[in-house]
């Protein structure tokens, strides 16, 4: 690049207007507590920097303000590093408890189940679901005495 070309593209920071900069500080992924449907639930071989093992991959889908949102959670079923497996077991226990009412089950059996949770973005920018609980499903069935 010639000196003339470099001078032509030089920015003048003396006249830079900081208010023209976009503010992304609150632009992260966030949802209110909504029902999430499990749309994928499988087990696959995977690895990370700590070793390899079998990992559950569970995708949750929800409709929020007319938009379809997806969050994928991964949890180790088995791993060369016992700490990784223990963390994964805790994650799966919470998912099973919320979706099945008991802290155990079959990963593919989660398909179609629902949980209630808030969505958020973690420190690394990944979408996550907060504290899960059993889904609250509105019913159109009349109650006792037609109420």
């Amino acid at each position: 690049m010639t000196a003339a070309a470099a001078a032509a593209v030089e920015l003048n920071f003396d006249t830079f207007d900081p208010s023209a900069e976009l503010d992304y500080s609150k632009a992260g992924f966030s949802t209110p507590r909504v029902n999430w449907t499990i749309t994928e639930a499988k087990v696959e071989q995977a690895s990370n920097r700590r070793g390899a093992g079998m990992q559950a991959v569970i995708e949750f889908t929800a409709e929020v303000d007319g938009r379809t949102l997806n969050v994928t959670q991964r949890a180790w079923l088995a791993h060369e590093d016992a700490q990784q497996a223990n963390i994964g077991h805790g994650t799966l226990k919470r998912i099973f408890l919320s979706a099945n009412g008991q802290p155990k089950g079959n990963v593919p059996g989660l398909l179609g189940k629902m949980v209630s949770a808030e969505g958020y973005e973690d420190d690394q920018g990944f979408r996550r679901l907060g504290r899960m609980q059993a889904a609250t499903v509105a019913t159109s069935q009349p109650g006792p005495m037609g109420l």
Side-chain angles (χ1 to χ4, degrees), residues 69-108:
L69 302 175
N70 297 305
V71 174
T72 301
Q73 302 252 141
R74 298 175 185 275
W76 293 105
L77 293 164
H79 195 277
E80 293 171 346
D81 181 342
Q83 183 180 7
Q84 297 286 302
N86 287 337
I87 293 168
H89 293 169
T91 299
L92 288 168
K93 179 180 176 180
R94 289 186 294 276
I95 293 170
F96 278 116
L97 189 59
S98 299
N100 285 342
Q102 56 184 343
K104 59 184 177 178
N106 180 305
V107 172

Side-chain angles (χ1 to χ4, degrees), residues 23-71:
D23 179 11
Y24 290 106
S25 63
K26 296 183 181 175
F29 173 75
S30 178
T31 72
R33 179 168 288 281
V34 296
N35 288 337
W36 296 82
T37 302
I38 297 173
T39 54
E40 182 177 355
K42 64 183 180 180
V43 177
E44 64 185 21
Q45 288 271 27
S47 63
N48 62 10
R49 60 188 162 94
R50 296 180 189 227
M54 297 299 291
Q55 188 177 60
V57 179
I58 304 168
E59 184 172 296
F60 299 84
T61 302
E63 292 289 327
V64 178
D65 296 330
R67 297 180 307 151
T68 301
L69 302 175
N70 297 305
V71 174

Side-chain angles (χ1 to χ4, degrees), residues 98-130:
S98 299
N100 285 342
Q102 56 184 343
K104 59 184 177 178
N106 180 305
V107 172
L110 289 169
L111 192 62
K113 303 282 178 121
M114 294 176 72
V115 300
S116 174
E118 294 177 6
Y120 70 95
E121 188 174 292
D122 70 12
D123 294 338
Q124 287 91 31
F126 292 104
R127 291 180 174 187
R128 301 281 186 219
L129 294 183

